[in-house]
Amino acid sequence: MDATDSALVAGVLARERRALAKAITLVESTRADHRLRAQALLEALMPQTGGALRIGLSGAPGAGKSTFIERLGIDLIGRGLRVAVLAVDPSSSVNGGSILGDKTRMEALSLRDEAFIRPSPSSGALGGVAHQTREALLLCEAAGFDVVIVETVGVGQSEVAVAGMTDLFVVLQLAHTGDELQGIKKGILELADLVIYNKADIDARATELACGQMRSALHMVRGHSAHWQVPVLQASALTGAGMVAAWDSMQQFRTSTQESGEFEARRKRQALQWTWAMIDEGMKDLFRQHQAVRAELDATLGQVADGTLAPAAAAARLLHHLKT
Ligand code: GDP
C-alpha cells in the first residue's frame, strides 16, 4: 500500500469525514487498479469493522424515509451516537435519475458533524451497487459510526439486497385513507423485522386499521418465530410521535437476537452469501475473458437467440472450454 492509501486508512480510523468520503469513492470505482487499492484498504480496516448496528430502511417514494431518517438521526446524535446514512437506489444506476432525490434531502442531519450521508453510487447494475454499498458500510464502521442506515426504495430486488446486508430491516408503510383494504406486498411480509406506519398524524383511524391488517398478514406468512415477533408500529416522522418507541423496538431487536445468537448467525450468513456472490461474479468475468469462449460467445448466443441451439447445449459447449 502506498503512502496516499496509508494516509487514507489513518484518516478513516481518525474519523475524518473527508477521508471516509474518499475511501468510499475508491470502493465505488470499477477501474481495475482502484479495485486492487480498495481491497487493500478494506483488508487493512477490516479488524475495525462490525461495531455498528446496521439498519435497512425501505419504503415507497413519499413514504417519509428521509424525514424519518433525519429525525431518527438527530435523536440518536442527541443520545451520543454517530450516524451514517447510505442509499441503494436502483433508479440512479438505470437512468441517472434518482427516486431517492438529490442532495438537499436530510439537510439538518447533513450539517451535523456526527452524521455522514452518502447518496447511492450512480453507476452499474444493482449487484454492483449492492457490493459497493456493503463496502461503504464497512468503511463507515471503521470510521466509528454507531449506527449505519442503508436506505432503499420499496422495489423488489433492492429490498432483498439491503435486507441481505443489514442486521435489522425496517419497512416504512403508509395507510391508505378510507376503508379500502391495504395493499401489502409479499416481499415486505417476508423481509421485514419491523414495520412502521408513518404519517399516523394524517388519519389515525386508517392507520389503526392498516396496522391490524398488517399484523394478521404477518401472522399468516411468518407464524410464530422463536427469535422475534415482527412489531407493527405507528409513527409520525413529521411531528416526532412514535419515534422513541420505534428506536426502542430496534434496540429490543438487537438485544433479543444477540441473546438468541441470531444476530451473529445472520451476519455470518450474509458474509458467506456475499463471498459467493463475489465468486460468481469473478467466475463470470474469467469466463468472458477466456480466449476460446471469447472466440465463440457471440456466435453461440446468436444461435440461441435464433432458436437453432438450446440454451442448455450452448452453456455446456461454452463451459466445456474452461475444463481444457
Ligand atoms: P421519501 O420519498 O420516502 O424520502 O419521503 P420524504 O421524507 O421526502 O417525505 C415525503 C413527504 O411526506 C414530505 O413532504 C414530508 O414532509 C412528508 N412527511 C414525511 N413524514 C410525514 C409524517 O409523518 N406526517 C406527515 N403529515 N407528512 C410527512
Side-chain angles (χ1 to χ4, degrees):
M1 186 182 293
D2 67 14
T4 320
D5 289 354
S6 302
L8 209 50
V9 168
V12 170
L13 292 175
R15 306 184 168 190
E16 290 165 15
R17 289 196 301 178
R18 265 181 63 95
L20 176 60
K22 269 193 188 164
I24 294 179
T25 303
L26 192 61
V27 302
E28 284 175 357
S29 170
T30 48
R31 255 175 59 180
D33 58 327
H34 286 175
R35 287 303 309 156
L36 287 176
R37 284 174 57 202
Q39 274 160 25
L41 193 76
L42 283 162
E43 225 173 295
L45 292 169
M46 205 59 196
Q48 313 302 325
T49 64
L53 178 64
R54 306 166 180 173
I55 301 173
L57 184 92
S58 147
K65 293 179 295 300
S66 56
T67 312
F68 185 90
I69 293 172
E70 175 147 84
R71 190 172 277 275
L72 179 67
I74 286 172
D75 282 358
L76 295 182
I77 289 172
R79 292 167 192 252
L81 300 174
R82 295 170 73 239
V83 183
V85 184
L86 306 172
V88 171
D89 181 354
S91 65
S92 70
S93 33
V94 176
N95 54 25
S98 168
I99 303 179
L100 291 178
D102 54 24
K103 283 177 200 140
T104 55
R105 303 170 81 238
M106 302 176 228
E107 214 163 345
L109 188 61
S110 65
L111 292 173
R112 300 295 299 259
D113 281 340
E114 304 90 334
F116 178 84
I117 299 174
R118 179 85 176 189
S120 182
S122 56
S123 67
L126 173 63
V129 170
H131 291 319
Q132 291 159 5
T133 307
R134 282 172 191 277
E135 293 181 345
L137 190 152
L138 294 176
L139 292 173
C140 290
E141 289 185 337
F145 285 94
D146 305 290
V147 176
V148 181
I149 300 173
V150 184
E151 175 191 13
T152 193
V153 277
V155 279
Q157 283 200 323
S158 67
E159 283 179 315
V160 175
V162 171
M165 66 176 86
T166 48
D167 303 318
L168 160 67
F169 191 66
V170 181
V171 177
L172 222 54
Q173 285 277 100
L174 288 182
H176 295 294
T177 46
D179 287 330
E180 80 268 33
L181 218 73
Q182 312 293 322
I184 299 176
K185 276 174 42 199
K186 195 159 158 273
I188 293 173
L189 299 175
E190 284 161 0
L191 292 176
D193 298 304
L194 173 61
V195 177
I196 301 172
Y197 276 88
N198 189 36
K199 308 199 187 184
D201 56 292
I202 293 179
D203 188 336
R205 186 169 163 272
T207 306
E208 201 53 60
L209 265 173
C211 287
Q213 284 170 4
M214 178 59 85
R215 283 188 196 105
S216 354
L218 279 166
H219 190 75
M220 280 199 315
V221 172
R222 303 269 283 257
H224 274 288
S225 151
H227 297 300
W228 179 251
Q229 218 41 55
V230 179
V232 180
L233 307 177
Q234 312 184 5
S236 168
L238 199 66
T239 67
M243 295 298 295
V244 171
W247 174 242
D248 285 349
S249 188
M250 295 182 213
Q251 294 278 81
Q252 275 161 20
F253 178 86
R254 168 151 57 179
T255 313
S256 124
T257 53
Q258 276 174 342
E259 279 167 6
S260 71
E262 175 55 19
F263 190 90
E264 273 310 309
R266 178 165 169 168
R267 281 199 174 180
K268 276 187 192 157
R269 272 199 310 274
Q270 292 175 341
L272 291 176
Q273 274 167 9
W274 184 8
T275 310
W276 277 111
M278 299 293 282
I279 291 174
D280 285 347
E281 248 173 53
M283 294 283 287
K284 236 184 223 169
D285 285 345
L286 287 176
F287 173 75
R288 286 177 197 278
Q289 285 159 20
H290 191 282
Q291 212 170 0
V293 172
R294 269 170 47 190
E296 279 177 30
L297 188 61
D298 286 346
T300 309
L301 294 180
Q303 286 176 291
V304 174
D306 290 347
T308 53
L309 183 63
R317 190 190 289 174
L318 291 167
L319 284 168
H320 184 74
H321 291 306
L322 296 188
K323 295 183 191 154
T324 55

